[in-house]
Amino acid sequence: KCQPQLAPPRPSSAFAPPRQHSDQPAMSAGIVEKRLAAIGLKIPKPSAAAANYVPWKRVGNQVFISGQIPKAEDNSLLKGKLGHDCSLDEGKAAARLCAVHLISQMREACGGDLDRVKAVVKVEAFVNSTPDFCDHPQVVNGCSDLLVEVFGMEVGPHSRFAVGCSSLPFGVAVEVG
């Protein structure tokens, strides 16, 4: 089983530039936040970087987000190795939690306005797994499905890769960027 464990804190999308002030209110303001509320999803404050990197980097109208790990509200981590001590459903839950942290970082990068996100471009996922585990795409669906649910069919669909690896930081089950 993927076991939550306490660990030290460890803290790709295109977006629109900030809205210009005008007499007309923006028609799409708050759409993403309304979706989050409708599904009862609380997005935590973004984690700070734990080493010599930044949690996100804006280049032009794109934001690149560093890898996010499955850290719960109590700072516990979803640890485990798929194909050994972590089930497919637990792996999907870990990937979904990574997506929650991706959204948190994106919210920060967009100045708090997730409606500025115009496309989730690419998801890059690593699954801590045994050599014979082959359901990496199903694990990463936990992330992809949430991004589409939150950002909608116009913005959320993305390209991606889902690969297995022999280990991940702190022994977590999944890392997604």
Side-chain angles (χ1 to χ4, degrees), residues 11-141:
S12 311
S13 299
F15 69 87
R19 290 191 187 116
Q20 299 298 318
H21 296 289
S22 73
D23 296 331
Q24 298 278 351
M27 295 297 282
S28 63
I31 291 172
V32 175
E33 294 296 336
K34 288 177 185 172
R35 285 189 188 121
L36 289 169
I39 63 175
L41 187 60
K42 180 183 172 191
I43 303 298
K45 291 182 179 181
S47 296
N52 190 18
Y53 67 93
V54 293
W56 55 269
K57 178 86 171 180
R58 183 177 312 131
V59 178
N61 280 346
Q62 290 191 320
V63 173
F64 298 87
I65 301 174
S66 296
Q68 301 295 304
I69 59 175
K71 185 185 339 181
E73 287 184 49
D74 65 359
N75 286 330
S76 65
L77 300 173
L78 295 182
K79 295 184 173 191
K81 187 174 286 285
L82 278 290
H84 175 63
D85 58 357
C86 187
S87 72
L88 182 60
D89 285 341
E90 290 167 326
K92 285 181 182 179
R96 180 180 171 93
L97 189 51
C98 290
V100 168
H101 293 294
L102 288 170
I103 294 165
S104 176
Q105 295 293 348
M106 181 54 68
R107 180 191 272 163
E108 179 78 10
C110 291
D113 184 3
L114 287 169
D115 287 340
R116 290 177 59 199
V117 177
K118 299 304 173 196
V120 176
V121 177
K122 187 173 186 179
V123 166
E124 301 170 331
F126 298 92
V127 178
N128 187 357
S129 61
T130 60
D132 60 336
F133 183 79
C134 58
D135 289 330
H136 310 92
Q138 286 73 28
V139 171
V140 180
N141 283 344

Side-chain angles (χ1 to χ4, degrees), residues 14 35 114 117-121 147-148 151-158:
R35 285 189 188 121
L114 287 169
V117 177
K118 299 304 173 196
V120 176
V121 177
L147 292 174
V148 171
F151 289 103
M153 287 303 295
E154 293 293 317
V155 174
H158 49 271

